[in-house]
Amino acid sequence: MAVYIMLSTLTDEGAKTIKENPGRIKEVNQELERQFGLKVLAQYAVLGPYDFVNVVEAPDNVTVARASAELAARGSVKIQTLAVIPIDEFIASFQR
């Protein structure tokens, strides 16, 4: 499975939801697994331009793009998704 970084920023509605029900974060992780086959490998609340950094596994680009779009459509979060390349794989690509 491919690995992706999902950078997310809460909307005002999303911040309100988290304040009222912080456990919602973990519920969304479970939804991602059940509905899209994504697995959350690591998740961090961060300071700066983003509120959360998530490292996820997904079967392919289409699946993670759909999951991002579905989450954004709820109106509680804006997401930027980055595909990642393991560094050893990146280095090996120069040795071919």
Side-chain angles (χ1 to χ4, degrees), residues 4 6 32 36 38 56 58-73 79-82:
Y4 300 86
M6 297 176 84
L32 288 172
F36 303 103
L38 271 67
V56 301
D60 52 49
N61 289 345
V62 173
T63 301
V64 77
R66 180 169 172 233
S68 292
E70 295 261 356
L71 288 176
I79 301 171
Q80 182 176 0
T81 304
L82 309 170

Side-chain angles (χ1 to χ4, degrees), residues 35-55:
Q35 292 179 8
F36 303 103
L38 271 67
K39 180 179 180 187
V40 177
L41 301 176
Q43 187 170 48
Y44 304 95
V46 296
L47 302 175
Y50 298 99
D51 296 312
F52 298 98
V53 174
N54 300 290
V55 181

